[in-house]
Coordinates of all heavy atoms in Angstrom, one line a residue:
V1328 N 2.3 -38.4 -8.7 CA 2.3 -37.1 -8.1 C 2.6 -36.0 -9.1 O 2.0 -34.9 -9.1 CB 3.4 -37.0 -6.9 CG1 3.6 -35.6 -6.4 CG2 3.0 -38.0 -5.8
D1329 N 3.6 -36.2 -10.0 CA 4.0 -35.2 -10.9 C 2.9 -34.9 -11.9 O 2.7 -33.7 -12.4 CB 5.2 -35.7 -11.7 CG 6.5 -35.7 -10.9 OD1 6.5 -35.1 -9.8 OD2 7.5 -36.3 -11.3
T1330 N 2.1 -35.9 -12.2 CA 1.0 -35.7 -13.2 C -0.3 -35.2 -12.5 O -1.3 -34.9 -13.1 CB 0.6 -37.0 -13.9 OG1 0.4 -38.0 -13.0 CG2 1.8 -37.4 -14.9
G1331 N -0.2 -35.0 -11.1 CA -1.4 -34.5 -10.4 C -2.5 -35.4 -10.1 O -3.6 -35.0 -9.6
I1332 N -2.3 -36.7 -10.3 CA -3.3 -37.7 -10.1 C -3.5 -37.9 -8.6 O -4.6 -38.1 -8.1 CB -3.0 -39.0 -10.8 CG1 -3.0 -38.8 -12.3 CG2 -3.9 -40.1 -10.4 CD1 -2.5 -40.0 -13.2
I1333 N -2.4 -38.0 -7.8 CA -2.4 -38.1 -6.4 C -1.6 -37.0 -5.8 O -0.8 -36.4 -6.5 CB -1.9 -39.5 -5.9 CG1 -0.5 -39.7 -6.2 CG2 -2.8 -40.6 -6.4 CD1 0.2 -40.9 -5.6
S1334 N -1.8 -36.7 -4.5 CA -1.0 -35.7 -3.8 C 0.2 -36.4 -3.1 O 0.3 -37.6 -3.0 CB -1.8 -35.1 -2.7 OG -2.2 -36.0 -1.7
E1335 N 1.2 -35.6 -2.7 CA 2.4 -36.1 -2.0 C 2.0 -36.8 -0.7 O 2.5 -37.8 -0.4 CB 3.3 -35.0 -1.8 CG 4.7 -35.4 -1.2 CD 5.6 -34.3 -0.9 OE1 5.2 -33.1 -1.0 OE2 6.8 -34.6 -0.6
E1336 N 1.0 -36.3 0.0 CA 0.5 -36.8 1.2 C -0.1 -38.2 1.0 O 0.1 -39.2 1.8 CB -0.5 -35.9 1.9 CG 0.1 -34.7 2.6 CD 0.5 -33.6 1.5 OE1 0.0 -33.8 0.4 OE2 1.2 -32.7 1.9
Q1337 N -0.9 -38.4 -0.1 CA -1.5 -39.7 -0.4 C -0.4 -40.7 -0.7 O -0.5 -41.9 -0.3 CB -2.4 -39.5 -1.6 CG -3.7 -38.8 -1.2 CD -4.6 -38.5 -2.4 OE1 -4.1 -38.3 -3.5 NE2 -5.9 -38.4 -2.2
L1338 N 0.6 -40.3 -1.4 CA 1.7 -41.2 -1.7 C 2.4 -41.6 -0.5 O 2.8 -42.8 -0.3 CB 2.7 -40.6 -2.7 CG 4.0 -41.3 -3.0 CD1 3.7 -42.7 -3.6 CD2 4.9 -40.6 -3.9
L1339 N 2.7 -40.7 0.4 CA 3.4 -41.0 1.7 C 2.6 -41.9 2.6 O 3.1 -42.8 3.2 CB 3.8 -39.7 2.4 CG 4.8 -38.8 1.8 CD1 5.2 -37.7 2.7 CD2 6.1 -39.6 1.5
D1340 N 1.3 -41.7 2.6 CA 0.4 -42.6 3.3 C 0.5 -44.1 2.8 O 0.6 -45.0 3.6 CB -1.0 -42.2 3.3 CG -1.3 -40.9 4.1 OD1 -0.5 -40.7 5.0 OD2 -2.3 -40.2 3.9
A1341 N 0.6 -44.2 1.5 CA 0.7 -45.5 0.9 C 2.0 -46.1 1.2 O 2.1 -47.3 1.5 CB 0.5 -45.4 -0.6
I1342 N 3.1 -45.3 1.1 CA 4.5 -45.8 1.4 C 4.5 -46.3 2.9 O 5.1 -47.3 3.2 CB 5.5 -44.8 1.1 CG1 5.6 -44.5 -0.4 CG2 6.9 -45.2 1.7 CD1 6.5 -43.4 -0.8
S1343 N 4.0 -45.4 3.8 CA 3.9 -45.8 5.2 C 3.2 -47.1 5.4 O 3.7 -47.9 6.2 CB 3.2 -44.6 6.0 OG 3.1 -45.0 7.3
Y1344 N 2.1 -47.3 4.7 CA 1.4 -48.6 4.9 C 2.2 -49.8 4.3 O 2.3 -50.8 5.0 CB 0.0 -48.5 4.2 CG -0.8 -49.7 4.2 CD1 -1.5 -50.1 5.3 CD2 -0.8 -50.5 3.0 CE1 -2.3 -51.3 5.3 CE2 -1.6 -51.7 3.0 CZ -2.3 -52.1 4.1 OH -3.0 -53.2 4.1
R1345 N 2.8 -49.6 3.2 CA 3.5 -50.7 2.5 C 4.7 -51.1 3.3 O 5.0 -52.3 3.4 CB 3.9 -50.2 1.1 CG 4.7 -51.3 0.3 CD 5.0 -50.9 -1.1 NE 5.6 -52.0 -1.9 CZ 6.9 -52.1 -2.0 NH1 7.7 -51.3 -1.4 NH2 7.3 -53.2 -2.7
L1346 N 5.5 -50.1 3.9 CA 6.7 -50.4 4.6 C 6.5 -50.6 6.1 O 7.5 -50.9 6.8 CB 7.8 -49.3 4.3 CG 8.2 -49.1 2.8 CD1 9.2 -47.9 2.8 CD2 8.8 -50.3 2.2
S1347 N 5.3 -50.3 6.5 CA 5.0 -50.4 8.0 C 5.9 -49.5 8.8 O 6.5 -49.9 9.8 CB 5.2 -51.9 8.5 OG 4.2 -52.7 7.8
I1348 N 6.1 -48.3 8.3 CA 6.9 -47.3 9.0 C 6.0 -46.1 9.3 O 5.0 -45.8 8.6 CB 8.1 -46.8 8.2 CG1 7.7 -46.2 6.9 CG2 9.1 -48.0 8.0 CD1 8.9 -45.7 6.1
P1349 N 6.3 -45.3 10.4 CA 5.4 -44.2 10.7 C 5.4 -43.1 9.7 O 6.5 -42.8 9.1 CB 5.9 -43.8 12.1 CG 7.3 -44.3 12.2 CD 7.4 -45.5 11.4
R1350 N 4.3 -42.4 9.6 CA 4.2 -41.2 8.8 C 4.2 -40.0 9.8 O 3.3 -39.9 10.6 CB 2.9 -41.2 8.0 CG 2.4 -39.9 7.5 CD 3.0 -39.5 6.2 NE 2.2 -38.5 5.5 CZ 2.3 -37.2 5.7 NH1 3.2 -36.7 6.6 NH2 1.6 -36.4 5.0
L1351 N 5.2 -39.1 9.7 CA 5.4 -38.0 10.6 C 4.9 -36.7 10.0 O 5.0 -36.4 8.8 CB 6.8 -37.9 11.0 CG 7.5 -39.1 11.7 CD1 8.9 -38.8 12.1 CD2 6.7 -39.5 13.0
S1352 N 4.4 -35.8 10.9 CA 4.1 -34.4 10.6 C 5.1 -33.6 11.3 O 5.0 -33.3 12.5 CB 2.7 -34.0 11.0 OG 2.5 -32.7 10.8
L1353 N 6.2 -33.1 10.6 CA 7.3 -32.4 11.2 C 6.8 -31.0 11.7 O 7.4 -30.4 12.6 CB 8.4 -32.2 10.2 CG 9.1 -33.5 9.8 CD1 10.2 -33.2 8.8 CD2 9.5 -34.4 10.9
D1354 N 5.7 -30.4 11.1 CA 5.3 -29.1 11.5 C 4.9 -29.0 13.0 O 5.0 -28.0 13.6 CB 4.1 -28.7 10.7 CG 4.5 -28.4 9.2 OD1 5.7 -28.2 9.0 OD2 3.6 -28.4 8.3
S1355 N 4.4 -30.2 13.5 CA 4.0 -30.2 14.9 C 5.0 -30.7 15.9 O 4.7 -31.0 17.1 CB 2.7 -31.0 15.0 OG 2.9 -32.4 14.6
M1356 N 6.2 -31.0 15.4 CA 7.3 -31.6 16.3 C 8.3 -30.5 16.7 O 8.6 -29.5 16.0 CB 8.0 -32.7 15.5 CG 7.1 -33.9 15.2 SD 8.0 -35.2 14.4 CE 9.2 -35.6 15.6
V1357 N 8.9 -30.8 17.8 CA 10.1 -30.0 18.3 C 11.2 -31.0 18.5 O 11.1 -31.9 19.3 CB 9.8 -29.3 19.6 CG1 11.0 -28.5 20.1 CG2 8.6 -28.3 19.5
I1358 N 12.3 -30.8 17.7 CA 13.4 -31.8 17.7 C 14.5 -31.3 18.5 O 14.9 -30.1 18.5 CB 13.9 -32.0 16.2 CG1 12.7 -32.4 15.3 CG2 14.9 -33.1 16.2 CD1 13.1 -32.5 13.8
D1359 N 15.1 -32.2 19.3 CA 16.2 -31.8 20.2 C 17.4 -31.4 19.4 O 17.8 -32.2 18.5 CB 16.5 -33.0 21.1 CG 17.4 -32.7 22.2 OD1 18.3 -31.8 22.0 OD2 17.3 -33.3 23.3
P1360 N 18.0 -30.3 19.7 CA 19.2 -29.9 19.0 C 20.3 -30.9 19.0 O 21.1 -31.1 18.1 CB 19.6 -28.6 19.7 CG 18.4 -28.1 20.3 CD 17.6 -29.3 20.7
H1361 N 20.4 -31.7 20.1 CA 21.5 -32.7 20.2 C 21.2 -33.8 19.2 O 22.2 -34.4 18.7 CB 21.5 -33.3 21.7 CG 21.9 -32.3 22.7 ND1 23.1 -31.7 22.8 CD2 21.1 -31.7 23.7 CE1 23.2 -30.9 23.8 NE2 22.0 -30.9 24.4
V1362 N 19.9 -34.1 18.9 CA 19.6 -35.1 17.9 C 20.0 -34.6 16.5 O 20.6 -35.3 15.7 CB 18.1 -35.5 17.9 CG1 17.8 -36.4 16.8 CG2 17.8 -36.1 19.3
I1363 N 19.7 -33.3 16.3 CA 20.0 -32.7 15.0 C 21.5 -32.7 14.7 O 22.0 -33.0 13.6 CB 19.5 -31.2 15.0 CG1 18.0 -31.1 15.0 CG2 20.1 -30.5 13.8 CD1 17.4 -31.6 13.7
S1364 N 22.3 -32.5 15.8 CA 23.8 -32.4 15.6 C 24.4 -33.7 15.2 O 25.5 -33.7 14.7 CB 24.4 -31.9 16.9 OG 24.2 -32.9 17.9
R1365 N 23.7 -34.8 15.3 CA 24.2 -36.1 14.9 C 24.4 -36.3 13.4 O 25.2 -37.1 13.0 CB 23.4 -37.3 15.5 CG 23.3 -37.3 17.0 CD 22.8 -38.7 17.4 NE 22.8 -38.8 18.9 CZ 22.7 -39.9 19.6 NH1 22.5 -41.0 18.9 NH2 22.6 -39.9 20.9
V1366 N 23.6 -35.6 12.6 CA 23.7 -35.7 11.2 C 24.1 -34.4 10.6 O 23.5 -33.4 10.7 CB 22.3 -36.1 10.6 CG1 22.4 -36.2 9.0 CG2 21.8 -37.5 11.1
P1367 N 25.3 -34.4 9.8 CA 25.7 -33.2 9.2 C 24.7 -32.6 8.2 O 24.0 -33.3 7.6 CB 27.0 -33.6 8.5 CG 27.4 -34.9 9.2 CD 26.2 -35.5 9.6
V1368 N 24.7 -31.3 8.1 CA 23.7 -30.6 7.3 C 23.8 -31.0 5.8 O 22.8 -31.1 5.1 CB 23.8 -29.1 7.5 CG1 25.1 -28.5 7.0 CG2 22.6 -28.4 6.8
E1369 N 25.1 -31.2 5.4 CA 25.2 -31.6 4.0 C 24.6 -32.9 3.6 O 24.0 -33.1 2.5 CB 26.7 -31.6 3.5 CG 27.6 -32.6 4.2 CD 28.2 -32.2 5.5 OE1 27.8 -31.2 6.0 OE2 29.1 -32.9 5.9
L1370 N 24.6 -33.9 4.6 CA 23.9 -35.1 4.3 C 22.4 -34.9 4.4 O 21.6 -35.6 3.6 CB 24.3 -36.2 5.4 CG 25.8 -36.6 5.3 CD1 26.0 -37.8 6.3 CD2 26.1 -37.1 3.9
A1371 N 21.9 -34.1 5.3 CA 20.5 -33.9 5.4 C 19.9 -33.3 4.2 O 18.9 -33.7 3.7 CB 20.2 -33.0 6.6
R1372 N 20.7 -32.3 3.6 CA 20.2 -31.6 2.3 C 20.4 -32.6 1.2 O 19.5 -32.6 0.3 CB 21.0 -30.4 2.1 CG 20.7 -29.3 3.1 CD 21.2 -27.9 2.7 NE 21.0 -26.9 3.7 CZ 19.9 -26.2 4.0 NH1 18.8 -26.5 3.2 NH2 19.8 -25.3 4.9
R1373 N 21.5 -33.3 1.1 CA 21.7 -34.2 -0.1 C 20.7 -35.3 -0.2 O 20.2 -35.5 -1.3 CB 23.1 -34.8 0.1 CG 23.5 -35.6 -1.2 CD 24.7 -36.5 -0.9 NE 25.8 -35.7 -0.3 CZ 26.8 -36.3 0.3 NH1 26.9 -37.6 0.4 NH2 27.8 -35.6 0.9
Y1374 N 20.3 -35.9 0.9 CA 19.3 -37.0 0.9 C 17.9 -36.6 1.3 O 17.0 -37.5 1.3 CB 19.8 -38.1 1.8 CG 21.1 -38.7 1.3 CD1 22.2 -38.7 2.2 CD2 21.3 -39.2 0.1 CE1 23.5 -39.3 1.8 CE2 22.5 -39.8 -0.3 CZ 23.6 -39.8 0.5 OH 24.8 -40.3 0.1
T1375 N 17.7 -35.3 1.6 CA 16.3 -34.8 2.0 C 15.8 -35.7 3.2 O 14.8 -36.4 3.1 CB 15.3 -34.8 0.8 OG1 15.9 -34.3 -0.3 CG2 14.1 -34.0 1.2
L1376 N 16.5 -35.6 4.3 CA 16.1 -36.3 5.5 C 16.5 -35.4 6.7 O 17.3 -34.5 6.6 CB 16.8 -37.7 5.5 CG 18.3 -37.7 5.4 CD1 19.0 -37.5 6.7 CD2 18.7 -39.1 4.9

Side-chain angles (χ1 to χ4, degrees):
V1328 171
D1329 290 345
T1330 54
I1332 296 174
I1333 64 171
S1334 66
E1335 186 181 7
E1336 286 76 14
Q1337 290 172 329
L1338 174 61
L1339 291 185
D1340 287 340
I1342 292 173
S1343 173
Y1344 176 79
R1345 181 175 185 267
L1346 300 179
S1347 298
I1348 60 176
R1350 160 86 160 86
L1351 298 181
S1352 174
L1353 298 181
D1354 292 340
S1355 59
M1356 294 181 63
V1357 177
I1358 306 174
D1359 190 328
H1361 296 294
V1362 175
I1363 292 291
S1364 65
R1365 295 199 179 193
V1366 176
V1368 66
E1369 66 270 16
L1370 293 185
R1372 292 193 186 278
R1373 186 192 312 165
Y1374 296 123
T1375 316
L1376 56 82

